[in-house]
Amino acid sequence: NVHRTMEELLADVCVPLSSDGQLLGVLNLRDDRLREAYASDELERLREVAAQAAITLRNSKLYERMKERERLAALGQMAAGLAHEIRNPLGAIKGAAQLLKASAPPPSERADDEDAEDDSEFLDVIVEEVDRLGHVVSQFLGYARPDRGERQALLLNDVVRKTLQLLRSEHDEEVLQLDKRLGSQLPEVRADPEQLRQVFLNLAQNGLQAMGGKGKLIVETRPRAIFRGGRTTRFVEVSFRDHGVGIEPQVLADIFIPFFTTKEGGTGLGLPICQRIIENHGGLIEVRSEPKKGATFAVLLPALGEDVTGATVPP
């Protein structure tokens, strides 16, 4: 099989381009002039060239990521400043509308009661829309704000139990059925419990909405190992699986983009904020979905003592 593959690639020699245990590419060479065109010392030089090429490739990718992060950071700072500037006039507009409504004479003292009722409704609309925009601005500032969470060693099962207790207090069992499957002897993680509860509540509420406001939500925790950076890293996974409409493939790629939403009246910031929180904890969010069969959102956090950059750090 290997020989056939090399023939298809028109290669006599395949030299891997690898860095930190990751395969970045393959250097294929062929010389039709001789059957054995490469001596052992030449192969050694090829490996040296491949190693240098791999370093160059990795450095170029790292540079591109740094430039992209700098660009996004600049955009985030500008957008956060803009959001602050929007919030101030919104407060003034709301205050003026409330003052107008409070200072208006009662309908009985006006010549046209219908006009008075219309004015009151218009002022109510202004206040409601200002509140809605203020909510969007607050959510965006939460997304752009630097991470200030207080990390501590904790068991994810404890955070999940408290989250599910809160969900049960908000929804009747006939509306939301919780199937809790918590793993045993899970390693601790270092995280902010309040931020994790925010993420778990958001994912659970999204699952309930996907089921039309009623259905069964499966919540599961388990250990997980992921191979990264040339080593295996231990994670703890918390997954939320619903039996809703699922997510279409063309939508799945955009769900973590800020302001992208398929919900009527949604801000499109819930999932991006969740992703930002989990990434700040060194973790990631995976999404698996089948249209018409439901979706699973899995939160993965590194176990205590693990560093996703590839080095082991003290607890």
Side-chain angles (χ1 to χ4, degrees), residues 152-153 188-190 234 303-307 312-315:
Q152 58 183 276
E188 290 184 319
V189 300
R190 183 173 296 279
R234 296 179 303 142
L304 193 65
E306 297 283 353
D307 179 19
T312 302
V313 296

Side-chain angles (χ1 to χ4, degrees), residues 203-257:
L203 296 180
Q205 296 287 5
N206 285 350
L208 182 60
Q209 292 174 7
M211 295 185 290
K214 182 178 182 180
K216 181 179 180 181
L217 185 67
I218 299 174
V219 182
E220 182 179 6
T221 62
R222 64 188 182 100
R224 177 99 174 262
I226 297 179
F227 187 77
R228 273 186 170 184
R231 65 185 294 270
T232 299
T233 304
R234 296 179 303 142
F235 283 81
V236 182
E237 177 184 307
V238 183
S239 62
F240 297 81
R241 177 154 56 98
D242 63 66
H243 296 85
V245 297
I247 305 173
E248 296 295 333
Q250 62 271 21
V251 175
L252 197 60
D254 299 328
I255 59 175
F256 291 108
I257 297 177

Side-chain angles (χ1 to χ4, degrees), residues 14-308:
C14 295
V15 185
L17 306 179
S18 61
S19 177
D20 293 336
Q22 293 183 341
L23 182 64
L24 304 178
V26 178
L27 177 62
N28 296 325
L29 297 171
R30 183 164 190 166
D31 191 341
D32 291 327
R33 296 173 299 175
L34 298 172
R35 183 175 179 83
E36 297 181 1
Y38 304 100
S40 57
D41 59 333
E42 293 174 329
L43 292 175
E44 184 60 32
R45 292 193 186 97
L46 285 174
R47 279 194 288 266
E48 294 175 359
V49 170
Q52 292 297 322
I55 293 173
T56 302
L57 283 173
R58 190 166 187 81
N59 288 343
S60 64
K61 289 185 177 181
L62 290 174
Y63 177 76
E64 291 175 1
R65 290 178 186 173
M66 290 175 59
K67 296 295 292 183
E68 181 66 12
R69 287 178 182 175
E70 290 175 0
R71 186 183 70 85
L72 291 176
L75 286 175
Q77 291 177 355
M78 181 181 66
L82 181 61
H84 277 294
E85 292 301 320
I86 293 173
R87 172 179 277 180
N88 293 332
L90 281 178
I93 293 171
K94 180 178 179 179
Q98 292 174 326
L99 182 62
L100 285 173
K101 186 174 181 178
S103 60
S108 58
E109 298 180 10
R110 298 190 183 185
D112 193 335
D113 291 345
E114 185 175 347
D115 289 343
E117 185 177 349
D118 289 343
D119 291 345
S120 179
E121 290 180 356
F122 290 147
L123 291 173
D124 288 339
V125 170
I126 292 174
V127 173
E128 290 175 3
E129 290 302 303
V130 168
D131 285 340
R132 185 179 66 84
L133 290 175
H135 176 65
V136 174
V137 170
S138 297
Q139 277 202 311
F140 179 77
L141 288 174
Y143 175 75
R145 188 180 297 118
D147 177 38
R148 295 189 179 91
E150 295 183 4
R151 311 289 170 79
Q152 58 183 276
L154 53 83
L155 290 170
L156 277 183
N157 280 351
D158 293 338
V159 181
V160 171
R161 288 190 186 98
K162 292 181 180 179
T163 304
L164 298 185
Q165 288 175 357
L166 182 57
L167 283 172
R168 286 195 178 99
S169 67
E170 294 179 349
H171 302 284
D172 190 271
E173 289 186 5
E174 296 181 358
V175 174
L176 177 60
Q177 303 171 31
L178 291 172
D179 185 351
K180 185 172 60 175
R181 305 176 183 179
L182 304 185
S184 60
Q185 298 181 343
L186 298 179
E188 290 184 319
V189 300
R190 183 173 296 279
D192 183 311
E194 292 300 324
Q195 289 186 340
L196 292 187
R197 272 195 287 272
Q198 177 186 348
V199 172
F200 296 163
L201 279 173
N202 188 287
L203 296 180
Q205 296 287 5
N206 285 350
L208 182 60
Q209 292 174 7
M211 295 185 290
K214 182 178 182 180
K216 181 179 180 181
L217 185 67
I218 299 174
V219 182
E220 182 179 6
T221 62
R222 64 188 182 100
R224 177 99 174 262
I226 297 179
F227 187 77
R228 273 186 170 184
R231 65 185 294 270
T232 299
T233 304
R234 296 179 303 142
F235 283 81
V236 182
E237 177 184 307
V238 183
S239 62
F240 297 81
R241 177 154 56 98
D242 63 66
H243 296 85
V245 297
I247 305 173
E248 296 295 333
Q250 62 271 21
V251 175
L252 197 60
D254 299 328
I255 59 175
F256 291 108
I257 297 177
F259 300 108
F260 175 85
T261 181
T262 58
K263 302 176 185 177
E264 185 176 352
T267 62
L269 285 170
L271 285 177
I273 290 175
C274 290
Q275 186 185 53
R276 174 66 63 85
I277 290 173
I278 297 304
E279 287 182 347
N280 286 339
H281 282 75
L284 67 152
I285 299 181
E286 294 179 345
V287 187
R288 301 182 291 274
S289 178
E290 291 186 54
K292 311 302 181 184
K293 293 186 178 180
T296 300
F297 283 79
V299 174
L300 288 93
L301 292 169
L304 193 65
E306 297 283 353
D307 179 19
V308 294

